[in-house]
Amino acid sequence: LASGNTVHVETPILQLYVTENNILRNNKGLYYRIEIPDSLIDETLLVTLKGDTVSGANELYMSYDKLPNLSDYDFNSKVASYGNQEVIVPELKKGNYYLLVYGNVSAGTEQNVKIRAEKINFQIRTADANKGGDRGTLTTQLYGAKFYPQMKVMLRNSNHSVIGEKMVYIDPTRVFVT
């Protein structure tokens, strides 16, 4: 039955730059609130989840000013069914972001997890590409933080460098480079 009275629920705070240790039970969510002060407006937030097992299938979901769920969220982790996860919020607003940590393991009913939220600067977190050679072109997806439409991408080692011919800007966290 529905309650005629108002029910107040407090969501635990995930402090910036502090690693939170918790137990994630199969198919049960952990919720956190991340408070964003004025000093972090327009900055980029990285939230990481480290599971203690390779058999984890974990997920992260975030929303601004509302609780996310598995189908309604503003940001989510990019790699499905993987123990370690991360989600990037490209341009923060002042206020509260809510995080849902969700997952399960095939061996057991729970896992120890570490969750951390921190501001990050420009960086490439992953580069997804198939094998390349010394002929033709290769397109790769870069995932990271603080990308912008006019940036130039260069692949370099100690003997040689190649400047990307074409870049398709998706958003501040994702570009495709040929």
Side-chain angles (χ1 to χ4, degrees):
L1 296 175
S3 171
N5 299 325
T6 301
V7 176
H8 295 279
V9 177
E10 187 69 27
T11 306
I13 294 175
L14 179 61
Q15 295 289 337
L16 293 170
Y17 311 106
V18 176
T19 301
E20 171 79 18
N21 295 302
N22 210 327
I23 295 173
L24 181 59
R25 291 178 173 76
N26 283 355
N27 303 310
K28 302 284 184 191
L30 296 173
Y31 281 96
Y32 293 95
R33 179 169 46 104
I34 303 169
E35 297 175 341
I36 303 301
D38 287 338
S39 62
L40 292 181
I41 292 174
D42 293 331
E43 292 293 348
T44 301
L45 182 73
L46 170 68
V47 177
T48 55
L49 168 69
K50 302 261 187 229
D52 71 346
T53 177
V54 295
S55 64
N58 300 324
E59 304 165 50
L60 295 175
Y61 299 94
M62 288 190 68
S63 289
Y64 176 73
D65 209 25
K66 66 178 182 175
L67 287 177
N69 61 49
L70 301 180
S71 61
D72 184 16
Y73 52 85
D74 297 331
F75 308 95
N76 68 312
S77 48
K78 302 294 180 208
V79 181
S81 300
Y82 187 66
N84 297 335
Q85 294 288 351
E86 66 182 39
V87 62
I88 294 177
V89 179
E91 296 169 342
L92 291 169
K93 300 181 225 177
K94 179 183 176 173
N96 293 310
Y97 284 81
Y98 292 89
L99 171 68
L100 166 59
V101 180
Y102 187 85
N104 63 56
V105 291
S106 57
T109 59
E110 63 185 36
Q111 63 182 301
N112 294 313
V113 294
K114 295 181 180 190
I115 307 150
R116 183 176 175 89
E118 59 191 311
K119 179 192 101 147
I120 59 171
N121 295 314
F122 173 84
Q123 61 182 264
I124 296 172
R125 302 288 297 169
T126 61
D128 299 328
N130 291 326
K131 294 180 182 178
D134 58 359
R135 295 178 191 231
T137 61
L138 173 72
T139 299
T140 183
Q141 176 180 237
L142 303 179
Y143 176 70
K146 300 220 180 228
F147 297 162
Y148 56 96
Q150 299 80 19
M151 73 181 201
K152 302 287 183 210
V153 178
M154 179 187 306
L155 177 63
R156 176 172 65 187
N157 67 17
S158 59
N159 299 322
H160 189 68
S161 64
V162 177
I163 296 175
E165 293 177 7
K166 181 180 178 186
M167 185 185 77
V168 176
Y169 174 85
I170 305 299
D171 62 40
T173 67
R174 195 164 51 118
V175 296
F176 288 89
V177 179
T178 301

